Amino acid sequence: MAVDKKMQILVVDDYQTMLRILTNLLKQLGFTNVDQAQDGGEALSKLNNSKIDFVISDWNMEPMTGIELLREVRSSDKLKHIPFIMITAESKTENVIAAKEAGVSNYIVKPFNAETLKGKMESVLGAF
Amino acid sequence: MVKPPRPFTSERPVAGFTDSSETVTNKDILNAFHDLLANLPKVKPPRRFTSERTRAGGTGAGGAVTNNDLLQTFNDLSATLREMMDGASGKDETSADAEAESVEAPTGRDPVRDKVAKLKSADPDADKMLLARQELETVVKSTGTAANEIMNLSDELLAAAEKIRQGQSSGEAANIDDHLSLLEEISTNLLMACEFQDLTGQRINVVTNTLLGLEDLIDDLFQAMDISKGTGKGGLDATTADDQRPDTDLLHGPQDEGKGISQDEIDALFD
């Protein structure tokens, strides 16, 4: 089934620069509906109040971290099916394992490139 | 440092020996102690000697200075010198005196305290920690500004490329020179946007030098306190002590190349 590039993607990061990079990269990949949030709490609010089809989130944010957001999403009947990729500078094995156990769909370590982002999204959505 | 005392009475008679046979008597010795007292630096008033009241005579019969008088005077002198060396603040020290002591120049009385005091700037606005933090905050701000500038130029490049594509697809006569000039201009602006690295590099050098200076002061302190082996938790702090978020033990921050897990290793965990 072809990937719907009109899907609503939510990017979550406390750094404006990274939000802009991700939004631009996604647009270059053909995904034009990209919303932004600057921490887990804001993201959760958007997830509960609008239709989000895919989440790309940082880990280290305040007051709610990305892994807390992931746990909230996976524990919600309404949200638990949403693909969730973590893009983060946290690069210890224990971080990846914790994220996996929390139900992350895939994990990208910073610094990353456009090809890696595309590859991990395709691993979840299928080739596009 | 206590000034060298003036010559003791015993080196030159003040008013001659008290005994006509020029033998050193207890009274001579007592006078010598009082002369020593008179020569001590008046940092704070020394404790009143018990034996000062015996200056005119001892407690012995007819005012004779006894061995006990001498011993008492010696003990008083000893205690006074000890107090001065410890730099202890007496009960009669006013709060103003205490305040003045906390900001005055190194006293020499407490070497460790003097070293610790060097870590704190006399001018609160010139505090090294504060200034170092401000430098790094400026670095974050200026790298953010530069990143935005570079991304804006990237957008302009994309727009220029799109314009060329549209021109081609519509069959318009390609105005190549105009497009090339625009691309060259964007390229030059991209180059200039990278100059932030020079200034941020200099600011970071300033912070590094400040840290080196602080490190030297702290090393002095370790030596002064004879600390050769530390007991503290090493490493950098990715979070603050009052961070209330759960899982702060999983927050390590960016790792140096080769220290963290690679993307390939992560991918293997998901296979």
Side-chain angles (χ1 to χ4, degrees):
Chain A
M1 192 163 67
V3 172
D4 178 10
K5 291 203 173 175
K6 284 196 171 37
M7 69 165 62
Q8 182 67 56
I9 300 180
L10 178 65
V11 292
V12 192
D13 201 300
D14 56 347
Y15 270 84
Q16 288 284 351
T17 304
M18 188 48 61
L19 285 175
R20 192 166 163 185
I21 288 171
L22 283 169
T23 302
N24 279 8
L25 279 179
L26 288 166
K27 284 187 176 162
Q28 284 180 39
L29 291 171
F31 297 95
T32 51
N33 290 330
V34 182
D35 197 359
Q36 299 175 348
Q38 290 199 268
D39 82 280
E42 188 188 346
L44 191 61
S45 177
K46 291 193 175 201
L47 280 158
N48 281 322
N49 294 310
S50 51
K51 186 176 181 305
I52 305 288
D53 303 305
F54 199 104
V55 177
I56 298 174
S57 176
D58 185 21
W59 183 312
N60 189 353
M61 298 177 288
E62 290 187 59
M64 186 189 277
T65 62
I67 193 139
E68 285 180 271
L69 171 64
L70 173 59
R71 289 184 183 130
E72 291 285 340
V73 165
R74 290 291 179 254
S75 65
S76 160
D77 284 337
K78 180 185 165 195
L79 307 174
K80 62 186 177 187
H81 64 282
I82 299 176
F84 194 119
I85 287 183
M86 197 87 86
I87 298 185
T88 171
E90 299 298 338
S91 59
K92 297 263 186 193
T93 305
E94 60 181 2
N95 293 97
V96 183
I97 291 171
K100 262 199 93 178
E101 287 173 357
V104 81
S105 307
N106 219 313
Y107 195 105
I108 298 173
V109 68
K110 292 175 182 172
F112 67 100
N113 56 38
E115 194 184 327
T116 302
L117 176 61
K118 181 171 188 275
K120 300 307 164 222
M121 288 182 74
E122 285 181 335
S123 74
V124 177
L125 298 170
F128 57 79
Chain B
M1 279 292 266
V2 175
K3 270 186 358 190
R6 69 184 170 117
F8 280 122
T9 307
S10 55
E11 290 184 38
R12 52 164 184 82
V14 173
F17 289 112
T18 52
D19 183 275
S20 58
S21 69
E22 295 191 2
T23 314
V24 175
T25 66
N26 280 356
K27 195 159 173 67
D28 291 329
I29 295 171
L30 186 64
N31 285 342
F33 278 132
H34 285 295
D35 284 346
L36 176 61
L37 169 64
N39 278 289
L40 290 173
K42 297 285 193 289
V43 176
K44 64 173 187 174
R47 267 186 2 170
R48 186 166 291 282
F49 274 6
T50 309
S51 52
E52 273 189 32
R53 62 180 183 277
T54 65
R55 186 177 267 279
T59 56
V65 175
T66 68
N67 286 345
N68 212 46
D69 291 329
L70 291 177
L71 188 61
Q72 186 62 56
T73 302
F74 182 79
N75 285 340
D76 287 346
L77 180 60
S78 245
T80 300
L81 284 172
R82 200 163 34 244
E83 278 180 32
M84 289 170 64
M85 293 299 284
D86 287 347
S89 44
K91 287 179 191 172
D92 56 350
E93 197 171 18
T94 63
S95 59
D97 287 342
E99 180 64 31
E101 195 177 8
S102 73
V103 299
E104 68 189 18
T107 62
R109 290 181 291 157
D110 186 339
V112 172
R113 185 181 182 280
D114 288 343
K115 285 181 195 298
V116 173
K118 280 188 186 175
L119 290 170
K120 189 178 173 72
S121 170
D123 173 8
D125 292 333
D127 179 67
K128 285 178 189 292
M129 312 280 193
L130 171 70
L131 293 178
R133 266 204 318 275
Q134 287 173 348
E135 286 292 293
L136 291 176
E137 280 161 11
T138 303
V139 167
V140 171
K141 205 170 154 187
S142 53
T143 51
T145 302
N148 267 338
E149 177 64 18
I150 290 167
M151 286 188 290
N152 288 342
L153 291 165
S154 165
D155 287 343
E156 285 184 34
L157 270 176
L158 289 172
E162 185 57 29
K163 225 171 167 178
I164 295 169
R165 191 173 289 114
Q166 283 173 3
Q168 274 190 325
S169 62
S170 70
E172 282 176 23
N175 195 343
I176 291 293
D177 280 340
D178 283 351
H179 291 309
L180 289 176
S181 293
L182 179 59
L183 290 175
E184 280 165 354
E185 187 187 332
I186 294 170
S187 173
T188 302
N189 290 342
L190 266 171
L191 194 67
M192 294 318 297
C194 293
E195 72 171 332
F196 73 93
Q197 207 277 335
D198 170 33
L199 293 174
T200 54
Q202 289 181 49
R203 285 185 185 276
I204 290 172
N205 278 342
V206 163
V207 173
T208 303
N209 289 339
T210 303
L211 284 174
L212 285 170
L214 286 170
E215 193 180 6
D216 285 342
L217 287 173
I218 292 171
D219 277 342
D220 275 349
L221 202 54
F222 287 153
Q223 280 187 23
M225 298 181 79
D226 199 23
I227 296 172
S228 56
K229 194 171 166 55
T231 58
K233 174 177 165 277
L236 295 171
D237 297 325
T239 58
T240 57
D242 59 353
D243 194 328
Q244 298 295 313
R245 293 175 294 173
D247 302 315
T248 52
D249 56 317
L250 289 173
L251 294 171
H252 309 289
Q255 300 296 305
D256 288 338
E257 204 170 326
K259 293 260 174 82
I261 190 171
S262 70
Q263 190 61 56
D264 286 342
E265 287 167 324
I266 292 172
D267 293 346
L269 289 172
F270 279 85
D271 286 340

